[in-house]
Amino acid sequence: DAGVTQSPTHLIKTRGQQVTLRCSPKSGHDTVSWYQQALGQGPQFIFQYYEEEERQRGNFPDRFSGHQFPNYSSELNVNALLLGDSALYLCASSPERQAYEQYFGPGTRLTVT
Amino acid sequence: LAKTTQPISMDSYEGQEVNITCSHNNIATNDYITWYQQFPSQGPRFIIQGYKTKVTNEVASLFIPADRKSSTLSLPRVSLSDTAVYYCLVGLTGNTGKLIFGQGTTLQVKP
C-alpha cells in the first residue's frame, strides 16, 4: 500500500512565476491538507480539502489555491511566486473522521530565485 | 487553538529514557494532545495522542496530569534513529484537520 506521494520532489522557479504541486493520498483517505515548512520551522497549515471543496484555510494569501479531484488527489497552486515562498511543501492525508492522525508525504522542495 | 511551549533541543544517549515535556496552559476542555515526529527531509509522523492520564503504544508513552496544563512524551531506550524533531500539538480531534505545529523539540541521541 503506497503512502502519500508527492511530485515533483524538487522544483526551482523564478520570482513571478506560477507553480503546481501534486499529491496522491494514502489509499482509503479522503481528506487532504497542505502545509508549508520553512527551514528550521514547524509546518504551517495552508488549507484542507474534503469532497473536492476547501474546508479550512490557514493564514495564507489568495496566491495559494488548490484543488481536489474525484479520486481524492490534490494540487496546490501558487501564483506570482515570491522569494519567501521557498520552502518544503507537505501534503497530508487522513480519513475524514480521524484528521488528528495525518499521514504526510515526503514533500516538494520549492526554491524561488 | 491552545499555544504550546516545549524545549528547543535536548540531548540524550543511546539506551536512555527520554522525556519531553510540553506546556499548554490554555488547553480547552475538548482539546486532545497529539505528538508528531519528523526526521530530516521527511514529513512528520503521528506518534501518539491522549486526553488525560496515560496512553501507551508500541513507540511511546504519553503522560497527562489531572490539570492537563502539560504533557510528557516518554521514549523508552532511545537509539540513534530516534534523533528527530518532536512536535506537541493541542487541538480538537475529529474532522477539523488543522494541525498547528510549533517549533518542536530537536532530540539528538548520541552513541
Side-chain angles (χ1 to χ4, degrees):
Chain A
D1 172 32
V4 178
T5 59
Q6 293 185 242
S7 63
T9 306
H10 296 86
L11 203 53
I12 300 175
K13 289 288 188 178
T14 304
R15 275 179 300 175
Q17 286 188 318
Q18 177 264 345
V19 68
T20 298
L21 311 181
R22 296 176 175 82
C23 171
S24 292
K26 182 178 170 62
S27 177
H29 289 183
D30 55 10
T31 302
V32 174
S33 302
W34 286 91
Y35 295 81
Q36 179 195 66
Q37 186 171 26
L39 206 60
Q41 304 295 319
Q44 300 298 305
F45 177 80
I46 303 175
F47 42 53
Q48 182 184 82
Y49 278 85
Y50 172 68
E51 292 188 340
E52 302 179 51
E53 296 287 333
E54 182 183 293
R55 182 162 66 178
Q56 282 198 88
R57 189 177 183 90
N59 190 25
F60 280 80
D62 293 343
R63 298 187 296 109
F64 290 77
S65 63
H67 189 78
Q68 186 179 34
F69 299 93
N71 67 352
Y72 308 122
S73 67
S74 177
E75 288 182 351
L76 164 65
N77 301 293
V78 186
N79 294 321
L81 284 167
L82 304 173
L83 294 179
D85 295 332
S86 295
L88 180 68
Y89 288 85
L90 295 161
C91 170
S93 73
S94 62
E96 195 269 340
R97 289 293 175 183
Q98 201 169 327
Y100 61 88
E101 185 175 351
Q102 297 187 12
Y103 290 75
F104 284 80
T108 293
R109 173 71 62 187
L110 172 65
T111 301
V112 182
T113 62
Chain B
L1 297 175
K3 181 180 177 180
T4 60
T5 302
Q6 50 184 124
I8 296 296
S9 64
M10 294 182 67
D11 289 339
S12 182
Y13 291 93
E14 282 190 295
Q16 289 188 330
E17 177 184 72
V18 171
N19 295 310
I20 305 174
T21 297
C22 178
S23 297
H24 29 79
N25 292 320
N26 297 321
I27 190 169
T29 303
N30 294 333
D31 285 343
Y32 281 67
I33 300 153
T34 310
W35 285 80
Y36 276 76
Q37 173 193 55
Q38 186 174 25
F39 298 112
S41 301
Q42 293 187 25
R45 181 177 75 108
F46 171 88
I47 301 176
I48 198 166
Q49 184 189 65
Y51 183 80
K52 61 181 180 181
T53 64
K54 177 184 175 182
V55 179
T56 297
N57 62 22
E58 65 278 5
V59 176
S61 294
L62 179 59
F63 298 91
I64 306 168
D67 66 6
R68 304 199 329 119
K69 294 184 182 300
S70 67
S71 59
T72 299
L73 176 73
S74 181
L75 305 172
R77 298 180 297 283
V78 294
S79 63
L80 295 176
S81 63
D82 292 316
T83 294
V85 179
Y86 293 82
Y87 295 98
C88 166
L89 293 82
V90 173
L92 296 173
T93 58
N95 62 356
T96 63
K98 186 177 180 179
L99 300 180
I100 306 296
F101 290 83
Q103 280 199 304
T105 297
T106 300
L107 172 66
Q108 179 70 51
V109 180
K110 302 175 182 179

